[in-house]
Amino acid sequence: MGFHYRWFDRDQEKIDEMGIPLSRAEIDAREHAKQPERLFSRGEQTGIVLSSVIFAYGWIEGDLSLSFFCLSFLIFELRKIVQQFSHTYGKSIANGMQGFSIALILGALAMVLTT
């Protein structure tokens, strides 16, 4: 239980679905009733699985540009895990992973276009 100051009130919903104003107790109850956010959406989970399978296929067949493309997507998605579970340097590491994945995808596209 915490205290709410009035100048932070703008960030909260003040009316319900029917347009009736909410009391502070109802606002607090809604905050506690919210489901925790999922780390990956279902589409992202499907993309990770599909990208892993395609990465394995590219690795077996020796297609480096396909492997780099899939690895770029996997690194880009893994940055969310690093950002959430590494508290001290998580944001910096996640930004580095995002930059590396962008560079990797540009390299994969350059490999496809030059061969």
Side-chain angles (χ1 to χ4, degrees), residues 3 7 10 18 38 43 45 49 81-82 91-92 98 102 107:
F3 294 101
W7 54 81
R10 287 180 240 124
M18 302 298 284
R38 296 174 64 153
Q45 290 174 357
V49 170
I81 296 173
V82 169
K91 183 110 173 142
S92 299
Q98 183 176 0
I102 291 171

Side-chain angles (χ1 to χ4, degrees), residues 54-83:
I54 295 172
F55 174 73
Y57 172 76
W59 183 272
I60 290 170
E61 292 295 319
D63 190 359
L64 281 178
S65 59
L66 182 63
S67 298
F68 285 168
F69 189 81
C70 292
L71 188 64
S72 168
F73 177 75
L74 292 172
I75 290 173
F76 186 79
E77 289 298 324
L78 288 177
R79 73 179 168 78
K80 289 183 181 181
I81 296 173
V82 169
Q83 188 173 7

